[in-house]
Amino acid sequence: MTALYPHIVYGPVRSRRLGLSLGVNLLPLEAKLCTFDCIYCECGWNGDNTGSHRFNDREEVAAALESALVAMAAEGQLPDVITFAGNGEPTMHPEFEGVIEDTIALRDRYAPSAKISVLSNATQLHRADVIRALERVDNNILKIDSLDEDVARLINKPCCNYSVANVVEQLKLFKGKVIVQTMFLRGEYEGKRVDNTTEEQIVAWLDALRAIAPQSVMVYSIARDTPCKTLQKVEREELEQISARVESLGITCSVA
Ligand code: SF4
């Protein structure tokens, strides 16, 4: 079963890659809200839940984060990272820049060594406020799953005008202050073969990485239940091989 995050602040969870991570969900608590509807989304399909589509208020987010940080400080266990993810696309929040400003202030006050990470699908980069906010976070993690527009549309099912070529140009503008995240998978969706691990796909993706010159790359595959049931996980060994090809470009790459 796919699952939603029922709280604004969740965790902390310990991960090998991030350390102790405190999650922040700006999206509705009863429904997923995203500009993509990825066939692998752990939150399920956009249409699955018909709950309220209200973003969590900036003030509520700051209050929830502050009380979580105060509680963690009292236990002597501060987070290594504060991660914006949750039930959809965090940068859709109308006050995303203000939320990041509050988060930086709270981080500086209660957990000065914690990093701030944002996991985003890069569909809001037409907004100057979103770009300004992403430039201020420590880990600006943006998704590109395929350089082929048709394959990207099949995997990510964008609900808006989406062009991977455009996203590559937008990512270049971060001048290296960006982390590219890619989900690798194979399978079938609506009778069509899905595979972003073919040699052609990988070569195009590596070319894009060369052009973007990100601070690092994160590759991963399916770890939990997915709304599309006909997908297969790409095994770690193969992800390691893909990662080695990224590293040969002089770009750090981690396998989740
Ligand atoms: S971008 Fe993230 S939240 Fe949105 S559909 Fe894809 S996996 Fe789910």
Side-chain angles (χ1 to χ4, degrees):
M1 269 227 340
T2 53
L4 293 171
Y5 295 96
H7 303 290
I8 296 177
V9 173
Y10 54 93
V13 288
R14 190 166 287 284
S15 87
R16 213 158 21 120
R17 195 164 34 92
L18 300 173
L20 194 62
S21 170
L22 188 64
V24 184
N25 171 34
L26 302 184
L27 290 313
L29 305 182
E30 317 82 9
K32 176 185 154 199
L33 188 55
C34 192
T35 42
F36 277 179
D37 202 10
C38 299
I39 57 178
Y40 58 80
C41 183
E42 291 170 3
C43 297
W45 297 122
N46 289 354
D48 278 353
N49 15 69
T50 49
S52 153
H53 278 179
R54 188 180 76 90
F55 290 101
N56 297 315
D57 288 340
R58 174 179 171 179
E59 294 72 23
E60 283 178 88
V61 173
L65 183 57
E66 182 165 24
S67 73
L69 289 173
V70 167
M72 290 180 79
E75 287 172 15
Q77 205 183 32
L78 288 167
D80 298 307
V81 60
I82 299 166
T83 305
F84 285 82
N87 298 331
E89 173 49 38
T91 64
M92 286 172 75
H93 194 289
E95 288 194 86
F96 181 70
E97 188 179 20
V99 169
I100 292 299
E101 193 176 319
D102 297 344
T103 303
I104 291 170
L106 290 168
R107 184 271 310 271
D108 292 351
R109 181 163 174 203
Y110 295 105
S113 58
K115 305 277 187 221
I116 298 172
S117 295
V118 177
L119 289 159
S120 165
N121 65 15
T123 56
Q124 300 297 304
L125 300 180
H126 53 279
R127 282 170 50 196
D129 57 323
V130 169
I131 293 187
R132 280 195 303 269
L134 291 176
E135 281 174 342
R136 296 183 67 192
V137 302
D138 302 287
N139 297 318
N140 169 27
I141 305 169
L142 300 178
K143 183 191 295 296
I144 294 184
D145 287 338
S146 173
L147 268 297
D148 179 311
E149 304 283 355
D150 291 336
V151 175
R153 252 187 289 282
L154 196 61
I155 296 176
N156 302 124
K157 292 165 53 73
C159 316
C160 48
N161 260 345
Y162 178 74
S163 150
V164 194
N166 243 355
V167 170
V168 171
E169 292 310 310
Q170 288 165 324
L171 265 55
K172 283 193 211 168
L173 298 177
F174 284 106
K175 299 199 184 317
K177 204 171 176 299
V178 59
I179 297 169
V180 174
Q181 186 191 48
T182 303
M183 153 70 80
F184 284 104
L185 50 76
R186 299 190 189 94
E188 201 175 280
Y189 176 64
E190 290 188 336
K192 290 188 189 137
R193 178 83 192 138
V194 187
D195 186 353
N196 62 349
T197 67
T198 62
E199 185 57 20
E200 194 186 355
Q201 289 279 317
I202 300 283
V203 167
W205 177 73
L206 290 169
D207 282 347
L209 294 180
R210 207 180 281 116
I212 295 165
Q215 74 191 61
S216 65
V217 173
M218 290 162 48
V219 298
Y220 67 126
S221 190
I222 297 163
R224 301 205 187 94
D225 210 7
T226 57
C228 171
K229 303 296 177 202
T230 43
L231 302 176
Q232 294 129 33
K233 176 183 175 146
V234 173
E235 293 302 333
R236 188 170 184 94
E237 195 184 345
E238 192 174 341
L239 292 175
E240 301 274 11
Q241 288 163 5
I242 294 170
S243 169
R245 293 178 72 173
V246 178
E247 300 252 348
S248 72
L249 301 177
I251 303 169
T252 308
C253 184
S254 64
V255 178

